[in-house]
Amino acid sequence: MDILKGSSDAMLEQIVFSDIEKALVDYLTSKLSALSDNAKVVARVPDPRPVRMVRVIRNDRKARFDAEDREGRRGAHLILDRPRVVFECTDDGGGAAGLASLVRSFVNSAAPGYIGSVWCDHVEDAGQENDTDPVTAAPRYSIVADLIVRGKILA
């Protein structure tokens, strides 16, 4: 029986994707520590909020303005995941722009290569903006990047 007709004998591969936020938190923590930078890299903002911090947020809903968004399709390579990640960089001491520059450099140079145990084929830099926190008025820079990462076949 043809696989497209729903054969019970056919077994489709199940692909699992790693937690890209955790992988990036660990990766950036390591990179910043190597420079003796005391910035805290987090996925959730702790209480109290660190003075110097990078928040990593996966946000696939943030518009890409490409075929994926226009036509609602992902493409044929289902072993690949394309997380859109936002990096919010804050520094109450006035160094948010410098921190954002470091983070952007680390992220853009990650591919091709491993981010922890996650293989990253490609990073597409979608830009950076001065995004002052509306609640606290703290300086904040946001970086947006699309990553092409590989999943693993569930055995």
Side-chain angles (χ1 to χ4, degrees):
M1 183 179 257
D2 189 278
I3 193 167
L4 296 177
K5 294 180 182 173
S7 167
S8 60
D9 295 340
M11 182 151 189
L12 298 177
E13 292 176 328
Q14 296 174 335
I15 309 299
V16 292
F17 297 103
S18 298
D19 180 347
I20 195 64
E21 288 176 336
K22 178 168 181 6
L24 284 163
V25 166
D26 294 345
Y27 175 78
L28 290 174
T29 297
S30 172
K31 291 290 193 180
L32 289 167
S33 293
L35 295 178
S36 299
D37 192 305
N38 64 345
K40 181 82 174 154
V41 184
V42 300
R44 287 186 22 199
V45 178
D47 186 18
R49 185 178 71 76
V51 172
R52 186 170 167 85
M53 176 182 72
V54 178
R55 181 176 173 211
V56 179
I57 310 153
R58 180 175 181 157
N59 186 354
D60 292 346
R61 308 282 270 158
K62 193 167 183 71
R64 285 188 174 94
F65 303 109
D66 62 6
E68 187 171 322
D69 282 344
R70 281 191 317 272
E71 300 166 21
R73 60 184 170 88
R74 286 211 38 224
H77 306 290
L78 297 181
I79 197 162
L80 300 177
D81 190 17
R82 186 179 176 202
R84 172 153 271 202
V85 184
V86 179
F87 303 88
E88 293 178 347
C89 303
T90 59
D91 184 352
D92 294 347
L99 179 58
S101 180
L102 280 175
V103 168
R104 192 174 189 188
S105 172
F106 294 146
V107 171
N108 287 337
S109 65
Y114 282 97
I115 298 173
S117 64
V118 179
W119 178 260
C120 183
D121 283 331
H122 181 72
V123 175
E124 186 172 317
D125 186 330
Q128 175 177 318
E129 70 176 311
N130 182 337
D131 183 28
T132 301
D133 188 315
V135 176
T136 65
R140 176 174 68 192
Y141 282 79
S142 292
I143 303 156
V144 179
D146 292 326
L147 283 65
I148 306 292
V149 298
R150 292 194 175 266
K152 295 180 181 169
I153 297 172
L154 187 63

